[in-house]
């Protein structure tokens, strides 16, 4: 199955590519210095030395900018679950790959949670149409379909992904103090229970 990888080839004018790089580097610096939530789009434009109109024309909104900042890391993650070593990548049984995928996303939420959350909270519904979400959904649908062919694999992929949303994971970690290891155990239980309820 061909998955919709994040990003893709870009064909930009030299000045547009330069502005994009200036904006992304400025956002990375400010996010690292002050935290994602403390930085405004105006401040990013000023740090990059571009007009606010240029920033919004290029990225549309804050969520799209944050997703672009995450883009290279996202490409690496998708490469890992599509072509990387088992159990996240091919070569392991589908149930092990499913568990490994969730554990890897939980690790990312732990390390990059604020940025991931900002990327997920833009225009309502936008993240569900974004290539990153589509890639995750296609991957989980494929694994669930392999494990439980008679199930509604697309719906179960939605359910599984909802348990891995950055907003929920950060609430569990910071608001409720749940340990990361417990979240991984819970993910394993959820994945196994859903598949067991829909045998092949």
């Amino acid at each position: 199955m061909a998955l919709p990888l994040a990003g893709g080839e870009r064909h930009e004018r030299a000045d547009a590519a330069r502005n994009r790089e200036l904006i992304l580097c400025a956002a990375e610096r400010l996010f690292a210095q002050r935290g994602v939530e403390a930085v405004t789009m105006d401040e990013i434009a000023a740090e990059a030395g571009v007009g606010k109109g240029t920033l919004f024309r290029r990225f549309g909104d804050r969520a799209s900018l944050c997703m672009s900042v995450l883009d290279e890391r996202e490409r690496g993650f998708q490469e890992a679950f599509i072509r990387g070593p088992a159990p996240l990548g091919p070569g392991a049984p589908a149930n092990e790959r499913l568990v490994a995928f969730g554990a890897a996303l939980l690790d990312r939420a732990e390390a990059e949670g604020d940025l991931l959350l900002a990327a997920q909270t833009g225009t309502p519904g936008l993240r569900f149409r974004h290539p990153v979400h589509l890639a995750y959904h296609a991957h989980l649908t494929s694994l669930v379909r392999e494990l439980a062919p008679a199930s509604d694999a697309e719906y179960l992929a939605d359910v599984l992904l909802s348990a891995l949303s950055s907003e929920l994971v950060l609430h569990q970690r910071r608001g409720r103090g749940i340990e990361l290891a417990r979240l991984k155990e819970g993910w394993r239980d959820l994945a196994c229970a859903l598949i067991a309820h829909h045998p092949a």
Side-chain angles (χ1 to χ4, degrees):
M1 175 183 294
L3 298 181
L5 284 164
E9 291 189 19
R10 301 186 186 93
H11 302 282
E12 298 177 300
R13 299 190 320 270
D15 60 334
R18 184 182 66 251
N19 284 341
R20 174 186 171 82
E21 189 63 22
L22 287 170
I23 291 167
L24 292 177
C25 288
E28 286 262 26
R29 283 195 303 274
L30 292 176
F31 291 161
Q33 291 168 5
R34 296 165 46 199
V36 177
E37 288 304 312
V39 178
T40 68
M41 294 289 270
D42 285 355
E43 290 168 334
I44 292 170
E47 177 76 9
V50 302
K52 188 166 68 170
T54 298
L55 172 59
F56 279 97
R57 279 194 302 273
R58 189 64 185 82
F59 294 99
D61 60 18
R62 180 185 176 84
S64 296
L65 172 60
C66 290
M67 186 59 74
S68 293
V69 170
L70 284 165
D71 188 57
E72 286 306 314
R73 289 172 246 182
E74 183 57 44
R75 286 168 180 262
F77 178 61
Q78 290 190 32
E79 185 69 21
F81 71 72
I82 295 170
R83 286 180 282 271
L88 183 57
N95 62 319
E96 292 182 17
R97 294 190 70 194
L98 182 61
V99 171
F101 177 85
L105 266 192
L106 288 169
D107 283 335
R108 287 195 69 196
E110 184 75 5
E112 306 168 352
D114 289 325
L115 193 53
L116 287 165
L117 180 59
Q120 291 181 359
T121 53
T123 303
L126 178 63
R127 70 185 179 97
F128 299 113
R129 302 187 298 274
H130 194 280
V132 169
H133 181 84
L134 295 176
Y136 293 176
H137 189 269
H139 180 58
L140 291 193
T141 298
S142 177
L143 293 177
V144 171
R145 192 167 283 140
E146 181 178 345
L147 289 164
S151 70
D152 185 341
E154 291 186 354
Y155 177 76
L156 291 182
D158 284 330
V159 172
L160 290 166
L161 283 173
S162 69
L164 298 170
S165 75
S166 296
E167 184 175 15
L168 176 60
V169 173
L170 290 181
H171 168 68
Q172 290 169 325
R173 291 286 290 123
R174 298 173 183 177
R176 296 171 57 194
I178 299 176
E179 295 294 329
L180 182 61
R182 181 180 165 195
L183 293 183
K184 290 183 178 181
E185 290 173 6
W187 164 257
R188 178 186 294 274
D189 289 345
L190 173 63
C192 292
L194 282 176
I195 299 307
H197 188 68
H198 297 84

